[in-house]
Amino acid sequence: MKTSHQKGFTLIELLVVISIIGLLSSVVLASLNTARDKGRIAAGQKFSSYNYRSLGADAVMHTSLDSNPPTDQLGNGATFSIAAGATLATSDTPLKAGSSFLFSGGGSGSGNVTATLPRAITVDKFTASAWIKPTDATDGGWFLSGAPTSSGANRVFSILWNVSTGLITTANAVTTYNSTVTVPVGKWTHIAITWDGSGYSFYKDGKFMEKILGAMTNYDIGSIIIGSFFTGWDGFKGNIDEVGVYASALAQGEIEQIYAAGLPAHTLVDAQ
């Protein structure tokens, strides 16, 4: 009578197989995360470009921050000044071209870029957008403000990356509105906020996130402050690029028209 002997895997062979599977899984996950991040950046690019094209007639200021000093791409005559602590960063942009500005953060006297408008703009609605990349998990700050026409007046809006929570906050002269929109450290994220007369809508990478009902207390914009609060303190630490402010509120439906599920082939031309 013959006995059949079936040889199984040894412990070492099993460990080798498990190691190979783990290595392959890591490669696949890394590739997937890279693809997702590229898709997120592309969505933000479309959103920023759509703002520029569709709201151009209501533009207050738009700058790509590609030079020192920057220029107003819309030709509305804004003039720019640079405070110490704000420097041109030629190798770090979400668009892989041009430049961004790197801001040092800090308290009073924070580095910023000021775009002074040739005349005051009165807004009853607005859209403000920018690419931001926080670089320090311990140092947040205000990254975009609509400053009033006189030093004694209250700001029109200010937008904060809250270092304690990673959340985006907007504020007028009286009230602060804390969203649930998070921004990670070390990654480019496109943030936009609109006010339509009844409340503040928050967008992240081209997608509507939430709306918080609230009022605005001042309507006259004299300058746009990039990289700090409108008084120059509590600055943002990190990179900022492609900043736009418009005297019109982008409707949620306009964003959904471009980014709605099932319409990935929509182009900016198709949507207009």
Side-chain angles (χ1 to χ4, degrees), residues 19-223:
S19 298
I20 293 173
I21 292 174
L23 179 61
L24 292 174
S25 299
S26 299
V27 172
V28 171
L29 287 174
S31 299
L32 182 60
N33 289 335
T34 299
R36 285 175 176 172
D37 203 49
K38 288 181 178 179
R40 182 183 61 80
I41 293 292
Q45 289 174 355
K46 286 185 178 181
F47 180 86
S48 180
S49 178
Y50 182 72
N51 280 0
Y52 182 89
R53 297 185 182 197
S54 66
L55 301 180
D58 295 319
V60 175
M61 185 278 300
H62 181 100
T63 178
S64 61
L65 294 175
D66 280 341
S67 60
N68 188 1
T71 58
D72 185 355
Q73 267 71 47
L74 298 173
N76 288 341
T79 57
F80 292 80
S81 59
I82 314 298
T87 57
L88 192 67
T90 58
S91 60
D92 195 351
T93 72
L95 311 178
K96 305 303 180 185
S99 303
S100 65
F101 259 78
L102 177 64
F103 298 87
S104 61
S108 61
S110 299
N112 59 43
V113 174
T114 298
T116 302
L117 305 178
R119 62 187 182 281
I121 302 294
T122 300
V123 297
D124 57 1
K125 299 176 182 179
F126 77 85
T127 297
S129 66
W131 285 94
I132 66 171
K133 188 180 84 168
T135 57
D136 190 337
T138 65
D139 192 355
W142 302 90
F143 61 87
L144 187 59
S145 291
T149 54
S150 62
S151 59
N154 292 311
R155 78 272 194 185
V156 180
F157 68 87
S158 293
I159 310 174
L160 168 77
W161 179 66
N162 191 323
V163 69
S164 299
T165 61
L167 300 178
I168 295 296
T169 294
T170 191
N172 58 31
V174 179
T175 309
T176 298
Y177 302 94
N178 296 306
S179 78
T180 58
V181 179
T182 59
V183 172
V185 175
K187 288 188 175 183
W188 282 105
T189 303
H190 189 270
I191 293 296
I193 293 178
T194 71
W195 186 73
D196 61 4
S198 64
Y200 297 87
S201 295
F202 295 79
Y203 295 85
K204 176 182 176 181
D205 293 327
K207 295 181 180 180
F208 171 75
M209 305 301 288
E210 65 179 308
K211 181 176 181 178
I212 302 175
L213 298 180
M216 197 165 70
T217 57
N218 187 20
Y219 303 91
D220 295 324
I221 299 178
S223 58

